[in-house]
């Protein structure tokens, strides 16, 4: 049974606050970044379609959450992250990156700007410790971790905003894309944002662990299908959203990954990796993260070799791959030499000895139908 | 979780089943068990041997791609493939919904009936399933 295993060397997995809820729903669990995570409930494909067609709820409490607070918070964050957060209005969330001095991507993150000079930062679980150290190094005690005390739920799909609004009230209904706010719900505070990682509309909620079961129940009783990490991966891949550790890491820079929108250079402000990124931006690309769709039946998986037809030496290896339930085709991503990273180019992927023809396409693989 | 294990079938330790048809005893239909389909999860693609291919007992003869992983299909007997289930090309999910009937994978002309002695009956197969 597959499933990414990033569990710590001691092998002890952290259980989610809502573990019993997941178990009662028949979840299959898998280790992920030290957490015992629901991989699927009824089945990955059904959960995937539920999110594309209706609404699903994911427990994403493994994502690391940290506060940076105080009048200097924006300036401190600007010094460690690629996006110019000082321009982000209160009540807005934005995607950004942590880079190394060499311009490699150490993590991709989400920043929420809340009233009172408070910033919530969302880190990938696998990078939680080193990301928090990065914040601590510049912010000291102004940075604090909140991961274990709170639960994070993602509600995603075409019916998600209606469900979130019915559960959380007008406070959510008034939010625009990438707005964030703190709402009162049943006598507690819920931090909400109209964000996600599926290519669908929806939102993410952070609530104290003691109130989390009631919020989970409100979403599931309101019609959300519980969905696990398996569906989360196929959904994000169809939306061409990169996964840190697969599609981006310290050996890739934002421009070749198609993440230049998350890097601000023109404000001139220093941040970790800026000099390398100025140079990378000025250089011609040598490779680009490209999006591949199988032209015949078959499934693409991470690490499979990509070839030019009839050649022995691979030009790349897939960084991610899956069967796309929406397209009913294999899809994957790979860093291709720029001469090949063009829509319409045909290549071959070595699927366990079989040469499967694939075509380079524009991202994303799946686009929501227009209303 | 209870998994179906029909009494009339033979089973391999690799979680394949074999059904011998009364009308043509030298032929067998092969698929994967209810337990196996549950373990691999939603089946999305199958790479099955073609009519005329030879298969060998205990050796890999195909691949089962599920949403989360790829698994090998092993043949429980040696012989020649006389049919592959074409319905699975468009509906691989039949392996999940009907593992013992519509989700069958290949039919084989059995080369050596003595090999069947190495297979398990339903009780024997159930006994070696992990307890849930």
């Amino acid at each position: 049974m597959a499933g990414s295993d990033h569990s710590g060397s001691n092998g002890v997995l952290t259980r989610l606050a809502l573990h019993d809820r997941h178990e009662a729903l028949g979840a299959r669990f898998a280790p992920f970044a030290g957490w015992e995570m629901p991989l699927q409930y009824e089945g990955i494909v059904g959960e995937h379609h539920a999110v594309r067609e209706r609404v699903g709820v994911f427990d994403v409490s493994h994502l690391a959450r940290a506060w940076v607070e105080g009048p200097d918070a924006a300036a401190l964050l600007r010094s460690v992250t690629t996006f110019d957060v000082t321009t982000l209005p209160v009540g807005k969330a934005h995607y950004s990156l942590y880079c190394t001095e060499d311009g490699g991507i150490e993590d991709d993150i989400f920043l929420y700007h809340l009233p009172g000079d408070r910033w919530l930062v969302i880190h990938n679980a696998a990078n939680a410790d080193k990301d928090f150290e990065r914040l601590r190094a510049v912010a000291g005690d102004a940075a604090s971790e909140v991961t274990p005390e709170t639960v994070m739920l993602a509600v995603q799909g075409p019916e998600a905003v209606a469900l979130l609004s019915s559960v959380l009230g007008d406070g959510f209904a008034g939010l625009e894309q990438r707005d964030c706010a703190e709402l009162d719900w049943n006598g507690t505070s819920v931090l909400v944002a109209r964000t996600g990682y599926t290519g669908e509309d929806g939102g993410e909620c952070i609530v104290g662990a003691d109130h989390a079961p009631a919020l989970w129940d409100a979403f599931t009783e309101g019609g959300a299908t519980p969905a696990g990490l398996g569906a989360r991966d196929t959904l994000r891949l169809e939306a061409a959203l990169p996964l840190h550790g697969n599609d981006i890491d310290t050996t890739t820079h934002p421009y070749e990954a198609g993440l230049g929108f998350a890097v601000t250079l023109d404000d001139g402000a220093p941040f970790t990796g800026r000099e390398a990124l100025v140079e990378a931006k000025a250089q011609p690309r040598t490779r680009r993260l490209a999006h591949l769709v199988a032209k015949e039946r078959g499934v693409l998986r991470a690490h499979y070799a990509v070839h030019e037809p009839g050649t022995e030496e691979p030009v790349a290896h897939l960084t991610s791959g899956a069967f796309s339930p929406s397209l009913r085709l294999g899809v994957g991503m790979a860093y291709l030499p720029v001469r090949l990273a063009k829509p319409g180019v045909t290549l071959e992927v070595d699927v366990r000895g079989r040469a499967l023809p694939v075509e380079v396409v524009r991202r994303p693989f799946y686009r929501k139908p227009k209303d | 979780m209870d998994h179906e294990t029909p009494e009339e079938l033979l089973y391999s330790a690799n979680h394949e089943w074999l059904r011998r048809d009364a009308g043509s005893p030298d032929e067998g239909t092969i698929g994967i068990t209810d337990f196996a389909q549950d373990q691999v999860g939603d089946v999305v693609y199958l790479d099955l041997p073609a009519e005329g291919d030879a298969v060998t007992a205990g050796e890999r003869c195909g691949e089962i791609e599920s949403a989360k992983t790829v698994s090998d299909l092993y043949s429980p007997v040696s012989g020649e493939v006389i049919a592959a289930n074409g319905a699975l090309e468009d509906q691989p999910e039949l392996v999940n919904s009907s593992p013992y009937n519509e989700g069958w994978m290949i039919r084989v002309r059995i080369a050596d009936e003595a090999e069947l002695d190495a297979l398990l009956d339903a009780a024997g197969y159930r006994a070696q399933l992990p307890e849930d």
Side-chain angles (χ1 to χ4, degrees):
Chain A
M1 302 279 276
S4 305
D5 182 355
H6 298 293
S7 61
S9 55
N10 60 5
V12 178
L13 298 175
T14 306
R15 282 202 162 172
L16 295 166
L18 295 178
H19 184 89
D20 291 350
R21 284 287 191 288
H22 304 311
E23 195 157 51
L25 288 162
R28 296 281 171 81
F29 293 92
F32 184 85
W35 292 80
E36 188 173 7
M37 294 296 294
L39 179 68
Q40 65 167 68
Y41 302 83
E42 295 285 317
I44 293 171
V45 174
E47 293 161 27
H48 179 107
H49 289 311
V51 173
R52 283 276 177 261
E53 291 158 20
R54 297 180 302 278
V55 53
V57 57
F58 302 81
D59 186 341
V60 290
S61 302
H62 64 306
L63 294 176
R65 299 174 291 288
W67 285 104
V68 180
E69 298 172 271
D72 300 330
L76 294 170
L77 286 167
R78 179 65 186 115
S79 72
V80 291
T81 179
T82 57
F83 177 71
D84 179 13
V85 297
T86 63
T87 63
L88 190 67
V90 173
K92 277 287 177 189
H94 205 283
Y95 181 78
S96 187
L97 305 168
Y98 290 150
C99 280
T100 64
E101 291 290 0
D102 298 332
I105 302 171
E106 199 142 73
D107 202 3
D108 63 338
I109 67 171
F110 238 93
L111 297 154
Y112 297 68
H113 189 186
L114 291 152
D117 294 323
R118 294 154 64 239
W119 293 75
L120 188 76
V121 193
I122 312 291
H123 298 144
N124 279 298
N127 301 323
D129 291 346
K130 68 175 191 241
D131 285 354
F132 186 63
E133 280 168 29
R134 171 183 286 244
L135 293 180
R136 263 290 156 104
V138 293
D141 290 343
S144 57
E145 277 186 298
V146 289
T147 309
E149 301 106 63
T150 62
V151 160
M152 184 165 174
L153 303 178
V155 181
Q156 304 276 293
E159 296 171 11
V161 170
L163 176 59
L164 285 157
S165 301
S166 84
V167 169
L168 297 167
D170 292 344
F172 190 88
L175 298 182
E176 306 278 333
Q177 292 290 342
R178 282 184 292 286
D179 279 359
C180 58
E182 284 161 301
L183 305 177
D184 287 325
W185 179 75
N186 282 3
T188 191
S189 172
V190 182
L191 199 160
V192 298
R194 199 151 155 201
T195 51
Y197 189 55
T198 60
E200 295 294 330
D201 204 347
E204 294 171 298
C205 308
I206 298 169
V207 65
D210 47 347
H211 288 85
L215 187 59
W216 172 269
D217 292 347
F219 291 138
T220 55
E221 286 162 14
T225 301
L229 280 190
R232 186 172 162 83
D233 192 52
T234 53
L235 289 159
R236 71 92 194 165
L237 183 52
E238 285 185 353
L241 299 170
L243 172 62
H244 192 268
N246 279 42
D247 312 304
I248 50 175
D249 60 27
T250 55
T251 70
T252 63
H253 72 61
Y255 299 107
E256 62 192 8
L259 299 176
F261 70 91
V263 183
T264 316
L265 297 175
D266 54 14
D267 64 339
F271 63 88
T272 311
R274 178 188 156 86
E275 284 169 32
L277 290 175
V278 167
E279 195 178 320
K281 190 179 185 186
Q283 297 292 322
R285 304 283 90 78
T286 57
R287 60 178 192 167
R288 191 172 290 135
L289 188 60
H291 300 79
L292 305 169
V293 172
K295 299 177 77 172
E296 294 175 7
R297 290 169 190 277
V299 181
L300 305 181
R301 308 246 182 224
H303 313 302
Y304 286 179
V306 184
H307 297 263
E308 286 187 83
T311 60
E312 282 289 303
E313 195 62 28
V315 290
H317 290 83
L318 297 181
T319 55
S320 281
F323 176 81
S324 157
S326 301
L327 276 60
R328 293 182 66 86
L329 288 168
V331 299
M333 300 197 242
Y335 285 93
L336 296 180
V338 285
R339 71 188 167 82
L340 300 174
K342 297 187 175 97
V345 168
T346 298
L347 298 166
E348 288 174 353
V349 172
D350 182 351
V351 178
R352 312 208 318 162
R354 180 165 71 109
L356 184 69
V358 297
E359 184 177 326
V360 179
V361 298
R362 290 184 199 287
R363 69 178 177 184
F365 296 106
Y366 174 85
R367 206 181 290 275
K368 273 189 297 194
K370 292 268 190 302
D371 293 333
Chain B
M1 191 181 292
D2 285 340
H3 295 104
E4 279 186 65
T5 48
E7 294 297 333
E8 70 275 18
L9 306 183
L10 293 172
Y11 297 87
S12 73
N14 290 324
H15 310 289
E16 284 86 25
W17 55 260
L18 181 138
R19 175 182 287 122
R20 299 185 74 190
D21 297 326
S24 42
D26 65 332
E27 293 177 11
T29 303
I30 292 166
I32 65 168
T33 66
D34 188 24
F35 172 81
Q37 69 77 21
D38 190 38
Q39 290 292 302
V40 299
D42 293 334
V43 175
V44 295
Y45 172 75
L46 291 121
D47 189 10
L48 298 175
E51 197 179 323
D53 285 356
V55 293
T56 305
E59 290 193 4
R60 197 169 89 87
C61 68
E63 289 174 2
I64 303 163
E65 296 261 16
S66 72
K68 61 184 170 188
T69 190
V70 54
S71 312
D72 289 320
L73 174 68
Y74 297 90
S75 182
V77 289
S78 304
E80 181 192 332
V81 176
I82 52 178
N85 185 358
L88 299 182
E89 280 191 24
D90 286 325
Q91 291 179 279
E93 62 273 15
L94 291 174
V95 174
N96 298 112
S97 60
S98 179
Y100 296 113
N101 293 299
E102 291 173 87
W104 68 275
M105 294 181 183
I106 52 173
R107 284 178 60 75
V108 170
R109 182 164 294 114
I110 299 166
D112 178 4
E113 201 155 319
E115 281 180 358
L116 300 180
D117 297 341
L119 299 177
L120 303 163
D121 63 11
Y125 177 66
R126 276 195 293 273
Q128 54 102 64
L129 286 180
E131 289 191 27
D132 197 50

